[in-house]
Amino acid sequence: MPEALGGVTTRLAAAIAHREIPAAVAVVGTAAETYPPVALGVRRYGGPAATADTRFDLASLTKVTATLPAVLRLVGEGEVTLRDPVGRFFSNAGWFQRPSVADATLGQLLSHSSGLPDWRPIFSLASTRLTALANALQTPLGSGPGTVVYSDLGFILLGAVVERVTGQRLDAFTCKAVFEPLGMGSTGFGPLSGVPVAATENCGWRGRLLEGEVHDENAFVMDGVAGHAGLFGTASDLALYARAWLEFDPRLGREGLLRKALREYACGGGRSVGLGWMLLADGGYQHTGFTGTSLRVEPERGWFAVLLTNRVHPDRRLCEGVDDLRASFHEVVKVALS
């Protein structure tokens, strides 16, 4: 790793020393080179050290690492279009509602501009994967189409569309269509066992420490496989994925379609949104996950950065500084690699 990137280790070590996060694994690189991972901290307090092969609950990185490329592949193959409404795939979506989620298009779902609210506690209303989906399909729109509201519910529906079109569950389809072609052998949906995994929360509702079990409650009631959350992976695998976007790797999809995903589709509330990705003012794009994960690509400067932490361990209320940590981490990388 370049000497200038020594600040990455320093910053992450300080965050661990101050118990802002238990563990961190970071990988940064360019189109020409991916640098060795930095792994610090422990997988759980009182437990083993985090290593480069530690898998993290990626939380909302699932949206851009699994669901987005799955939908783009179906678009590229002519199976769906971004203009298709949800009602094309689910005739009972938003039944007896006006406006209705049935009229929301795949493009609007991907750009968080469908009018769906950000979240609802489906896990407290449904106990099976089927009833969870039924609940999501009957969610009333909270705002008019075009308004940007970052929504888990939209990506739950996108995952369901992928399954409806392909006849495969999202985990099976993304493994074959996305992860295997890119060599991401340590990425997939849980639950996990027999591999090193970073713990997340000591969940009072489930009555246990979550290790290899999805943290997100709505994803949990969907058997851990959902369009918005459920994916686990290593920083090195995420680096492969980030580099594929940086290079417009044909294994990921057609270059024209990938570039299309990085155009602004909606803006509002301080957000500029492409398809799945949050767009940055400097031409970069990124996504984050509630558990403490993030992935950023800077095509104009030619670098990417992956930071995986388990900041919700053992309690989601203990770490409020993850945004500051990400910002300082990215600043170190920018100075070193730009």
Side-chain angles (χ1 to χ4, degrees):
M1 179 175 290
E3 185 176 345
L5 280 169
V8 167
T9 301
T10 301
R11 179 63 184 94
L12 297 180
I16 290 168
H18 292 113
R19 293 180 76 88
E20 296 174 28
I21 52 174
V25 181
V27 178
V28 302
T30 66
E33 184 175 6
T34 298
Y35 300 107
V38 172
L40 301 168
V42 292
R43 303 199 315 246
R44 56 178 167 78
Y45 286 124
T51 55
D53 62 347
T54 297
R55 302 188 195 194
F56 286 76
D57 182 330
L58 301 180
S60 282
L61 290 191
T62 302
K63 294 181 174 75
V64 293
T65 308
T67 308
L68 171 62
V71 173
L72 292 181
R73 179 168 292 274
L74 296 181
V75 171
E77 293 173 350
E79 296 288 341
V80 304
T81 75
L82 296 177
R83 298 181 301 278
D84 285 341
V86 172
R88 176 195 160 187
F89 310 98
F90 300 98
S91 59
N92 61 338
W95 195 237
F96 293 123
Q97 298 175 21
R98 288 291 180 269
S100 168
V101 71
D103 300 320
T105 67
L106 301 190
Q108 289 172 334
L109 296 180
L110 283 168
S111 59
H112 298 282
S113 58
S114 66
L116 281 168
D118 56 350
W119 180 83
R120 68 186 299 187
I122 292 175
F123 70 98
S124 70
L125 305 169
S127 59
T128 69
R129 197 168 194 268
L130 190 62
T131 54
L133 173 58
N135 190 284
L137 284 167
Q138 299 307 319
T139 302
L141 299 186
S143 58
T147 302
V148 174
V149 177
Y150 178 84
S151 177
D152 280 359
L153 298 166
F155 273 77
I156 289 174
L157 296 185
L158 285 166
V161 167
V162 171
E163 295 183 341
R164 180 82 166 171
V165 172
T166 65
Q168 302 176 57
R169 207 167 74 160
L170 188 63
D171 51 348
F173 181 73
T174 52
C175 180
K176 295 176 183 177
V178 182
F179 308 138
E180 287 182 1
L182 292 175
M184 299 169 64
S186 297
T187 300
F189 288 86
L192 302 181
S193 61
V195 296
V197 59
T200 56
E201 197 161 21
N202 188 350
C203 179
W205 170 57
R206 281 172 267 185
R208 55 187 176 269
L209 177 66
L210 305 180
E211 294 182 277
E213 180 180 2
V214 66
H215 178 258
D216 184 275
E217 293 92 344
N218 287 342
F220 170 75
V221 82
M222 298 184 73
D223 298 336
V225 181
H228 72 297
L231 202 63
F232 288 79
T234 63
S236 294
D237 267 15
L238 267 289
L240 292 172
Y241 186 68
R243 191 165 175 174
W245 276 93
L246 187 62
E247 300 174 332
F248 296 118
D249 191 320
R251 294 175 297 174
L252 187 58
R254 296 202 314 265
E255 180 174 342
L257 192 54
L258 298 179
R259 289 187 181 276
K260 189 174 183 178
L262 302 176
R263 300 174 189 165
E264 183 179 85
Y265 277 77
C267 64
R271 296 181 188 270
S272 175
V273 189
L275 297 180
W277 294 105
M278 302 297 135
L279 307 181
L280 305 173
D282 62 2
Y285 50 98
Q286 69 176 9
H287 212 287
T288 62
F290 184 74
T291 51
T293 59
S294 64
L295 189 162
R296 180 164 173 171
V297 181
E298 290 282 351
E300 294 182 11
R301 295 185 172 95
W303 58 264
F304 64 83
V306 176
L307 175 60
L308 304 184
T309 81
N310 53 339
R311 67 104 181 175
V312 295
H313 174 69
D315 186 324
R316 71 183 70 189
R317 298 169 296 182
L318 297 180
C319 178
E320 299 296 333
V322 70
D323 288 339
D324 291 339
L325 173 60
R326 287 171 178 148
S328 57
F329 166 71
H330 291 141
E331 183 63 25
V332 171
V333 177
K334 181 176 75 172
V335 170
L337 296 182
S338 295

